[in-house]
Amino acid sequence: MSTPSPKLLVGWTTIETLEDARALAEVLVAKKLAVCVQIDSPTQSHFVWEGKPAWATEYRLWVKFLPEHAVDIERHLHAHHPYQVPQWIAVDAHHVGEKYLSWAGETRTN
């Protein structure tokens, strides 16, 4: 009887510098909290901070991870992210290609 394939989640956060984005990605993958982190080119974010409209140039990190790491990733972000209020939004991946999902599940044992 085969073991069911793991489910995959996708989360994203933003960070001010490419250097910080790469450092965060490296830690998440090295600690096996994430199976893959992709960093998007700079994006413009518009938001309200401390009651005033603000603009920021940021890098978006797309974090793919297994459900059992959700709490640890969030804890890591809140402890190590340079922002006072880091964005962390995670959703279930509705459909993931079978080969990619299998590869993601293998990261548990590698």
Side-chain angles (χ1 to χ4, degrees):
M1 186 169 186
S2 66
T3 305
S5 295
K7 189 166 122 179
L8 194 69
L9 286 92
V10 179
W12 56 97
T13 189
T14 54
I15 203 160
E16 188 175 12
T17 69
L18 181 56
E19 181 180 86
D20 285 345
R22 286 182 173 180
L24 179 56
E26 286 179 10
V27 168
L28 292 176
V29 171
K31 289 186 171 189
K32 295 187 176 186
L33 297 175
V35 298
C36 177
V37 179
Q38 295 171 308
I39 302 169
D40 283 345
S41 297
T43 188
Q44 293 291 307
S45 296
H46 183 55
F47 51 94
V48 175
W49 181 250
E50 296 179 344
K52 297 178 185 172
W55 283 95
T57 300
E58 301 176 299
Y59 291 85
R60 181 182 299 115
L61 286 79
W62 294 90
V63 182
K64 274 88 72 186
F65 60 99
L66 300 171
E68 60 262 29
H69 298 301
V71 171
D72 291 332
I73 289 175
E74 188 166 357
R75 281 187 188 140
H76 182 85
L77 286 173
H78 286 290
H80 301 286
H81 200 289
Y83 291 176
Q84 286 180 328
V85 182
Q87 170 187 277
W88 179 242
I89 300 169
V91 297
D92 290 335
H94 179 71
H95 177 79
V96 181
E98 184 179 321
K99 287 183 180 183
Y100 191 86
L101 190 57
S102 177
W103 168 80
E106 289 171 8
T107 63
R108 292 185 225 188
T109 58
N110 293 337

